[in-house]
Amino acid sequence: MINRVLIRLKIIQIVYAYYQNGSKNLDSAEKELFFSLSKAYDLYNYLLMLMIALTEYAQKRIDTAKAKLAPTKEDLYPNRKFVDNKFIAQLEVNKQLTEFIANQKRTWTNDQDFIKELYEKIVETDIYKDYMASDDNSYEADRELWRKLYKTYIFNNDSLDQVLEDQSLYWNDDKEIVDTFVLKTIKRFDEKNGASQELLPEFKDDEDQEFARRLFRRTILNSDYYRHLVSENTKNWDLDRIAFMDVIIMQTALAEILSFPNIPVSVSLNEYVEIAKLYSTAKSGSFINGTLDGIVNQLKKEGKLTKN
């Protein structure tokens, strides 16, 4: 699940903190990097649990209505399509997710106000109403409901962002990327796999884990050389006048360009320009793109960079 886009973002954040906090302990910073990545995987599982929590809340509403002193016919015989959703039933018994819940002891129990707010918003939507009125009782329709609900009402949700920020300082920056992993997971679910349906792994393979470790260490250990290259290609600028985040982004980009022969230069450039747009100033994207492009051309002329 943790892809290289997220790895690059986390390395930028940890390298920035490494210089800002002044401790300069490389091993501790590396541990912080991998802890931060593990928290992103926790968020992935926690957001899967959110769909279950919303369904459980709907069931409680039904139970409360039936327990009224004078329940209506609708209270006694509700439309149970939402709470009997086959996709959620499969997710609820998923072996990997239940193991995560058991190990982490993490639930949505303390955030029932948010669950209520989100549920009441969902039941007023056309997506929900059309689903409840439909005669299609297939697993595919049940799964599609949650893909639509997640993409429309959970993907960009300010209230949810606040809840997550209160739970973990790591999660706010992670959510947008992790949301895409949750949507991918929903689409991958297959009824025939039952409780054994595989969730996305924390790392796709050992190679990505090693990519994170190597890129982080090269960024720090070769920092003097990378900053020299930046300084040489920004002669009209004093390095101290360049936004510190821009320096960190270029330093990390150069570590990747010079340390990973199998990653095309264009891929690295595009990735770090996008990061600059997210994390630095309005002009940082074009500034970093121009500076790195100049450094790459210089290194190629000097024979120090041979890949395209």
Side-chain angles (χ1 to χ4, degrees):
M1 183 216 82
I2 295 171
N3 63 9
R4 294 194 176 186
V5 174
L6 185 57
I7 288 170
R8 291 180 180 103
L9 284 171
K10 288 294 184 184
I11 288 174
I12 294 291
Q13 292 167 8
I14 299 298
V15 170
Y16 184 88
Y18 174 84
Y19 289 113
Q20 292 294 87
N21 65 26
S23 69
K24 301 294 191 301
N25 187 313
L26 189 60
D27 290 337
S28 295
E30 185 181 282
K31 286 179 183 176
E32 177 68 12
L33 169 63
F34 282 99
F35 178 76
S36 177
L37 289 168
S38 74
K39 294 300 289 183
Y41 194 62
D42 288 351
L43 176 59
Y44 165 71
N45 284 276
Y46 196 49
L47 289 171
L48 290 173
M49 290 166 58
L50 174 59
M51 294 182 282
I52 297 171
L54 285 162
T55 306
E56 289 174 343
Y57 179 78
Q59 180 64 61
K60 286 178 185 175
R61 294 274 285 244
I62 289 174
D63 294 341
T64 301
K66 282 185 178 181
K68 288 179 183 175
L69 288 175
T72 65
K73 184 177 179 181
E74 187 179 348
D75 291 334
L76 293 171
Y77 305 102
N79 183 344
R80 293 186 53 84
K81 192 171 184 181
F82 184 79
V83 295
D84 291 338
N85 184 283
K86 299 178 187 67
F87 163 72
I88 294 296
Q90 183 184 9
L91 182 63
E92 199 168 11
V93 297
N94 182 270
K95 291 178 181 177
Q96 289 174 255
L97 188 58
T98 53
E99 183 179 350
F100 170 83
I101 294 168
N103 291 337
Q104 295 288 323
K105 305 292 192 296
R106 190 181 290 281
T107 71
W108 284 90
T109 304
N110 295 328
D111 294 296
Q112 287 301 294
D113 288 343
F114 167 72
I115 296 294
K116 177 178 182 289
E117 173 195 322
L118 181 55
Y119 174 77
E120 290 178 348
K121 184 176 182 180
I122 284 171
V123 298
E124 292 301 318
T125 66
D126 289 338
I127 294 172
Y128 175 87
K129 291 174 182 177
D130 290 347
Y131 168 77
M132 296 297 277
S134 172
D135 293 329
D136 187 349
N137 294 310
S138 67
Y139 174 86
E140 289 73 22
D142 284 2
R143 184 183 59 200
E144 179 63 10
L145 168 75
W146 277 103
R147 188 193 69 78
K148 287 180 179 177
L149 288 177
Y150 196 98
K151 188 173 183 179
T152 311
Y153 300 103
I154 298 176
F155 200 105
N156 291 309
N157 186 309
D158 292 339
S159 296
L160 177 54
D161 289 347
Q162 185 58 57
V163 169
L164 295 176
E165 186 174 1
D166 291 342
Q167 295 242 10
S168 173
L169 293 174
Y170 293 95
W171 283 353
N172 235 22
D173 288 333
D174 299 342
K175 184 172 181 291
E176 190 171 339
I177 294 176
V178 175
D179 278 334
T180 65
F181 299 143
V182 175
L183 286 169
K184 184 177 181 180
T185 300
I186 294 171
K187 286 190 269 188
R188 282 165 52 117
F189 256 60
D190 191 323
E191 186 176 22
K192 72 175 185 291
N193 293 331
S196 298
Q197 171 71 48
E198 289 189 1
L199 303 181
L200 298 178
E202 184 169 358
F203 285 95
K204 183 181 68 177
D205 49 39
D206 292 341
E207 189 177 327
D208 275 356
Q209 200 164 0
E210 182 55 30
F211 170 78
R213 180 174 288 105
R214 188 177 172 196
L215 178 58
F216 173 71
R217 284 191 167 265
R218 290 290 179 91
T219 299
I220 299 292
L221 294 174
N222 296 330
S223 60
D224 289 344
Y225 176 54
Y226 302 143
R227 292 190 184 194
H228 169 74
L229 291 175
V230 171
S231 181
E232 284 289 297
N233 281 269
T234 53
K235 288 183 177 177
N236 294 329
W237 292 75
D238 184 336
L239 196 60
D240 291 337
R241 289 180 57 218
I242 300 173
F244 185 55
M245 180 57 80
D246 289 359
V247 174
I248 297 300
I249 291 170
M250 289 188 283
Q251 184 176 323
T252 310
L254 288 168
E256 180 172 320
I257 289 167
L258 292 169
S259 303
F260 296 90
N262 294 330
I263 301 177
V265 172
S266 60
V267 170
S268 298
L269 288 177
N270 289 338
E271 290 289 345
Y272 289 98
V273 167
E274 288 304 309
I275 289 172
K277 291 176 184 176
L278 285 172
Y279 283 93
S280 201
T281 66
K283 296 180 179 179
S284 291
S286 58
F287 172 71
I288 286 173
N289 185 56
T291 303
L292 290 176
D293 192 54
I295 294 171
V296 165
N297 289 332
Q298 173 193 327
L299 292 172
K300 284 182 176 179
K301 286 178 184 176
E302 294 173 353
K304 296 177 181 176
L305 182 65
T306 56
K307 68 177 183 178
N308 292 320

